[in-house]
Amino acid sequence: MTLESSEREFMARFAPHAAQGMVYPQPEGSPLLEFVAGGRVLYLFDRCGPYAAPPGDAQVVVHGVLEPDSVVLLAGAAHRETLSVQGVSALEGCGQVTHVVGRIWVVQARLPLVLASFGDLPRLEPGQWITFKTLPPLHGFVVT
């Protein structure tokens, strides 16, 4: 099973959910894109090709694969967005689901995240809150 048919198709489909932030220059030979958004420094596997993103303001689709059995649906309405970086390129957080597209969710957790799973996911609707963990590495698709 695949989560995307191509990098361009995935980027185009989720471009409306890109995070606004700052891309820093990539060290020579590094596949990681340093992206600062939502008050967090994220190291993303650059899916658009090495050096495709010039340093500066950018919109980036931040995509993570959910750790199996890490999603917890939260009851009630009084929740707060949280996001912490785990290791070099994984996340743990709490956020509100804004869009559901099959096995892919868009979750607002300090910044919009496109989260997917190779396994089954609980049935969710926009507006519900979850906690989650992602597997490394996070992927980055530079829109601008």
Side-chain angles (χ1 to χ4, degrees):
M1 183 230 252
T2 61
L3 298 175
E4 60 190 55
S5 56
S6 75
E7 291 88 355
R8 288 179 189 233
E9 181 274 331
F10 189 89
M11 181 180 62
R13 184 165 42 145
F14 291 102
H17 308 291
Q20 183 69 39
M22 175 76 70
V23 170
Y24 284 86
Q26 284 179 271
E28 185 68 35
S30 174
L32 296 180
L33 185 67
E34 185 176 5
F35 180 60
V36 177
R40 300 294 181 263
V41 178
L42 305 175
Y43 291 94
L44 311 172
F45 182 69
D46 186 354
R47 295 298 304 275
C48 296
Y51 319 112
D57 291 335
Q59 291 183 317
V60 177
V61 175
V62 178
H63 172 52
V65 175
L66 292 162
E67 189 174 291
D69 303 319
S70 72
V71 175
V72 175
L73 177 61
L74 302 175
H79 302 290
R80 184 173 65 95
E81 293 179 22
T82 63
L83 192 65
S84 61
V85 177
Q86 306 295 305
V88 173
S89 186
L91 297 172
E92 182 173 348
C94 176
Q96 186 174 35
V97 176
T98 61
H99 293 82
V100 176
V101 181
R103 292 180 184 227
I104 300 175
W105 299 333
V106 178
V107 177
Q108 178 64 38
R110 295 187 61 98
L111 63 133
L113 302 167
V114 178
L115 303 176
S117 175
F118 288 109
D120 291 332
L121 290 171
R123 288 190 168 206
L124 293 181
E125 294 184 18
Q128 292 181 294
W129 285 79
I130 61 168
T131 61
F132 61 89
K133 293 179 184 177
T134 67
L135 298 167
L138 297 167
H139 292 222
F141 298 82
V142 179
V143 177
T144 58

